[in-house]
Structures are given as structure tokens and as C-alpha cells.
Amino acid sequence: MCPQFLNNNAAHGGDHAQFSVSYDGGTTFAVVYEVLQYMFFTGPSDSNTPEVLSYTFTLPAELPNSDSIIFAWSWVNAIGNHKFYMNCADVAITGSSSSSYTGKQMVIADHDGYPTIPEFNGDYTTGLSYYEDAASVTVSPSGSSTSSSNSTASATYAADSSSSSSTASAASADDTANATTP
């Protein structure tokens, strides 16, 4: 997968980010990829201008088929107006033989009722324990539960911010899974 970000957004010095999926309408999110410490940067930064605008990663082969999946990007920034940021897209996955996927539960922070991760002040290990110690969750088209295990397949993702359409495709040696926005 290769999410693309616009260059005109404030990067707030980076921080921790996750890419996740939900099969239950957004109640439970399982992480498929995370960028810890330096989202938008290659190392520590006090800049508001991003250096890194795309991330390439492997989608898990175990993502089950469904035409009603929420793909999410969530982020807690390092400096500035400290908030929990999240963007989502509706996607469909076809071609998978798996019935469920187990991954880390998405971290929610700096939001009412959740832990607060303070401004980094140069210490990019701030808040890492919330990500490292996250519980595992299993998601599937029939619901979710708590569990633990992971594996992967290769993928490509392209998003055009000027349109509401984006496409993702995943493939492994044994099967092919494709994700598209409905």
C-alpha cells in the first residue's frame, strides 16, 4: 500500500501514526501498519513542513473479503496544537480466502476519555508504550474479538485527493485481494 499525503498540511514535527481497518462500522480497528516517532519526517524535527509524503507498506494477506470496510489513518502529533487526527475511507476487499485478521488495536489518545500523550519536547519516545503495549484484536465481517497473531502480503495503494476515489490491491503467492472505494 502507498498512501499519499498533500504537501500543504501542517506536519507538527511528526509523531506516531497508524493505518488500520474496521469491519464493524468503526467500533474496532486493527492496525495493518504503523509509523512510530517520525510521521512525515526521516528523524526528529521541529518543522511544520513534511519531508515524507508517502509510505509504502505491505497489506496483510489475512484481510477478509467485505464490501464494507473502513480504512483509517490516525496520528498524534509531536508539537503544536496537540490532537488526535484521523481520516477514513470506505473500501472493499475481494479475492481473499481469510475469514478474519488479527492485529494491534488502534491507539486512541489526546481525545476525551483516552490517555493524553504530552508534547514531545524533543523526546520521540513519548507515548510509545501505548503503541507497543496495545492489545491485539481480531476483526472480521461478522464482528470482532480480542486475540493475537499477524502475517502479510504485498500491496499497492493510490489516493487522489482531488477525487473521492481510491484503490488498493493486495496479492500474495497463494491468493489475490483487491480493495477499492465503493
Side-chain angles (χ1 to χ4, degrees), residues 32 82 135 166 177:
V32 295
H82 221 64
S166 56

Side-chain angles (χ1 to χ4, degrees), residues 15-174:
D15 201 353
H16 313 310
Q18 294 177 315
F19 299 86
S20 308
V21 294
S22 174
Y23 284 79
D24 60 7
T27 300
T28 307
F29 284 90
V31 175
V32 295
Y33 184 74
E34 59 188 1
V35 178
L36 300 179
Q37 300 179 314
Y38 309 121
M39 182 70 188
F40 299 121
F41 296 96
T42 57
S45 177
D46 61 2
S47 177
N48 218 14
T49 304
E51 297 171 357
V52 179
L53 294 173
S54 68
Y55 290 87
T56 301
F57 56 89
T58 302
L59 281 176
E62 291 79 17
L63 292 176
N65 294 335
S66 177
D67 61 358
S68 185
I69 302 166
I70 298 173
F71 177 78
W73 167 74
S74 57
W75 175 53
V76 176
N77 59 304
I79 59 173
N81 191 6
H82 221 64
K83 297 180 182 178
F84 177 79
Y85 296 87
M86 185 174 187
N87 288 306
C88 299
D90 291 323
V91 299
I93 293 181
T94 59
S96 173
S97 60
S98 179
S99 61
S100 66
Y101 168 72
T102 300
K104 288 182 181 180
Q105 184 172 1
M106 182 183 75
V107 171
I108 300 174
D110 297 338
H111 187 67
D112 292 343
Y114 293 93
T116 298
I117 297 175
E119 194 162 333
F120 280 24
N121 295 318
D123 180 2
Y124 279 79
T125 64
T126 302
L128 274 180
S129 62
Y130 293 112
Y131 294 82
E132 293 167 345
D133 300 336
S136 291
V137 295
T138 299
V139 293
S140 71
S142 61
S144 64
S145 63
T146 304
S147 177
S148 64
S149 95
N150 282 335
S151 91
T152 59
S154 66
T156 305
Y157 177 84
D160 180 353
S161 63
S162 65
S163 99
S164 61
S165 161
S166 56
T167 302
S169 62
S172 71
D174 299 59

